């Protein structure tokens, strides 16, 4: 019984590619924060308490421009609203051992990538698995920011930039196999990716932030998938 | 750190945590609606599609090396390889192309 459930070790293993991807992103966040005049310690504290890329980068610019706290709250709410969708989605596949205290704690670690990996698991998610999955990405995100902030530049630029694609490689490994097998997943991904390109390249939409773009594409594509490709009763368990 | 800086960080971290935590803690029951279930089933794939395309093309030093990494990742993912293998292949392909562009062209 116990061995059938997702454990801490499996979470830790699944967290390795996420952590590797986070290292290079948080490293560049550390550099950006220091270049905007924040102490490296402050940059590291931001990473340890927020654990999100787009929101932190937006937060940096608000701090640098001495914006209001209300502006900060609204920006974080809009940019990170996608996490509410992810939390809601993930809350549906939690193991019964996921009691309230575990939910309060594990909720802190829900990021795009951690959500994607956890929801890609065929089994129900346990607290142990989530903590394992969150640990390395959290450490890498914090350590990367620290290193970036202190050293400015440690790795040769070519190596640093090649590591930047790691996260996307992981995304592709998650959505390509199911998209091959399910027309609904394929169409959902295609609609979402197509809309994302439109929002990025059509000048009319240039003011739409990347966080908000993800919200719009997600809502529209997932609604289209659910409307035109409802799953069979047996698959929807 | 100044009080002002602490206030900024507090608001940032607080709002971000609440956005993650409230839906995670409040929804204790399994959802019954077919549409909502299917919608939530498709959410991760929609998020990944929007986050990957076209951002992946700007994730390395040049669009060309990123395209090589993307191609390598799609090929391996098509063969059902694991996360780490696909991510590593994308990095290696992108790095190789950047080296070629730097030293051979």
């Amino acid at each position: 019984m116990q061995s059938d459930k997702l454990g801490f070790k499996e979470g830790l293993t699944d967290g390795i590619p996420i952590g590797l991807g986070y290292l290079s992103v948080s490293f560049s966040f550390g550099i950006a924060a220091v270049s905007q005049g924040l102490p490296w310690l402050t940059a590291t504290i931001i990473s340890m308490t927020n654990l999100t890329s787009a929101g932190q980068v937006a937060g940096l610019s608000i701090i640098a421009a001495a914006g209001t706290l209300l502006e900060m709250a609204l920006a974080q709410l809009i940019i990170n609203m996608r996490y509410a969708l992810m939390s809601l989605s993930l809350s549906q596949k939690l193991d019964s051992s996921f009691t309230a205290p575990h939910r309060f704690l594990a909720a802190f670690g829900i990021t795009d990538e951690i959500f994607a990996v956890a929801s890609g698991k065929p089994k129900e998610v346990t607290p142990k698995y989530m903590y394992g999955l969150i640990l390395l990405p959290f450490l890498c995100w914090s350590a990367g920011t620290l290193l970036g902030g202190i050293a400015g530049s440690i790795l040769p630029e070519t190596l640093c930039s090649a590591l930047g694609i790691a996260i996307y490689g992981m995304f592709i490994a998650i959505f390509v196999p199911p998209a091959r097998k399910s027309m609904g997943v394929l169409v959902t991904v295609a609609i979402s990716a197509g809309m994302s390109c439109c929002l990025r390249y059509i000048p009319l939409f240039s003011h739409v932030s990347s966080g908000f773009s993800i919200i719009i594409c997600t809502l529209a594509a997932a609604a289209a998938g659910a409307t035109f490709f409802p799953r069979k009763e047996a698959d929807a368990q | 750190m100044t009080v002002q800086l602490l206030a900024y960080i507090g608001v940032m971290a607080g709002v971000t945590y609440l956005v993650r935590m409230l839906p995670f803690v409040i929804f204790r029951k399994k959802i019954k609606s077919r549409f909502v279930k299917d919608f939530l089933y498709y959410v991760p794939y929609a998020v990944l599609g929007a986050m990957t395309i076209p951002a992946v093309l700007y994730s390395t030093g040049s669009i060309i090396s990123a395209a090589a990494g993307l191609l390598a990742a799609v090929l391996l993912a098509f063969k059902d390889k694991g996360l780490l293998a696909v991510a590593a292949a994308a990095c290696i392909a992108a790095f190789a192309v950047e080296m070629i562009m730097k030293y051979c062209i």
Side-chain angles (χ1 to χ4, degrees), chain A residues 180-220:
Chain A
R180 267 179 71 201
K181 288 156 202 141
S182 150
M183 183 58 86
V185 173
L186 181 64
V187 170
T188 301
V189 170
I191 291 175
S192 187
M195 284 182 66
S196 168
C197 288
C198 290
L199 290 173
R200 173 124 182 181
Y201 297 120
I202 297 175
L204 180 66
F205 302 121
S206 60
H207 58 280
V208 177
S209 72
S210 65
F212 207 66
S213 167
I214 293 173
I215 293 174
I216 296 169
C217 298
T218 299
L219 292 177

Side-chain angles (χ1 to χ4, degrees), chain A residues 149-173:
Chain A
I150 291 177
S153 176
I154 291 175
L155 294 172
E157 203 186 318
T158 330
L159 187 59
C160 222
S161 76
L163 284 178
I165 202 172
I167 266 177
Y168 297 103
M170 229 175 52
F171 291 166
I172 290 162

Side-chain angles (χ1 to χ4, degrees), chain A residues 26-162:
Chain A
S26 60
F27 189 81
S28 42
F29 173 77
I31 295 172
V34 171
S35 76
Q36 301 235 23
L38 285 187
W40 56 265
L41 180 63
T42 308
T44 308
I45 290 172
I46 290 176
S47 280
M48 292 180 73
T49 52
N50 282 263
L51 198 63
T52 180
S53 57
Q56 288 186 198
V57 174
L60 267 191
S61 58
I62 293 171
I63 292 174
T68 63
L69 291 177
L70 180 66
E71 185 185 353
M72 176 67 92
L74 280 179
Q76 298 303 319
L77 183 65
I78 290 171
I79 292 169
N80 294 329
M81 203 182 283
R82 64 185 187 282
Y83 292 139
L85 294 178
M86 296 178 189
S87 291
L88 182 55
S89 174
L90 197 56
S91 73
Q92 296 299 302
K93 63 170 293 180
L94 297 180
D95 185 81
S96 57
S97 58
F98 236 116
T99 53
H102 286 305
R103 288 178 185 233
F104 277 109
L105 196 56
F108 170 77
I110 295 172
T111 67
D112 299 326
E113 297 76 16
I114 286 166
F115 162 73
V117 170
S119 60
K121 284 279 155 186
K123 286 184 250 178
E124 289 197 324
V125 171
T126 61
K128 276 180 188 167
Y129 175 78
M130 279 304 282
Y131 298 142
L133 184 62
I134 292 167
L135 184 63
L136 287 177
F138 172 76
L139 291 177
C140 289
W141 187 251
S142 309
T145 307
L146 183 70
L147 290 175
I150 291 177
S153 176
I154 291 175
L155 294 172
E157 203 186 318
T158 330
L159 187 59
C160 222
S161 76

Side-chain angles (χ1 to χ4, degrees), chain A residues 67 104 110 180 192 201 231, chain B residues 8 17 20 34 46 58 78:
Chain A
F104 277 109
I110 295 172
R180 267 179 71 201
S192 187
Y201 297 120
R231 289 173 303 155
Chain B
Y8 276 131
Y17 177 66
R20 283 169 166 149
R34 281 293 306 280
Y58 307 99
F78 217 80

Side-chain angles (χ1 to χ4, degrees), chain B:
Chain B
M1 250 187 292
T2 64
V3 174
Q4 180 71 3
L5 205 45
L6 277 175
Y8 276 131
I9 297 174
V11 169
M12 267 175 92
V15 172
T16 305
Y17 177 66
L18 286 178
V19 165
R20 283 169 166 149
M21 182 274 284
L22 289 177
F24 207 56
V25 172
I26 290 171
F27 285 89
R28 303 302 297 265
K29 289 180 183 163
K30 300 288 178 187
I31 291 169
K32 295 259 164 59
S33 154
R34 281 293 306 280
F35 177 82
V36 175
K37 272 169 140 177
D38 287 350
F39 176 82
L40 292 175
Y41 168 79
Y42 285 120
V43 160
Y45 302 111
V47 170
L48 291 178
M51 282 199 307
T52 306
I53 313 290
V56 60
L57 292 174
Y58 307 99
S59 64
T60 67
S62 80
I63 288 191
I64 298 170
S65 65
L70 173 62
L71 190 68
V74 170
L75 279 176
L76 262 75
F78 217 80
K79 293 183 174 179
D80 277 335
K81 301 291 179 194
L83 294 188
L84 200 52
V86 174
C91 289
I92 292 167
F95 185 68
V97 168
E98 291 203 4
M99 285 293 113
I100 291 169
M101 287 167 64
K102 198 169 175 184
Y103 296 110
C104 304
I105 296 176

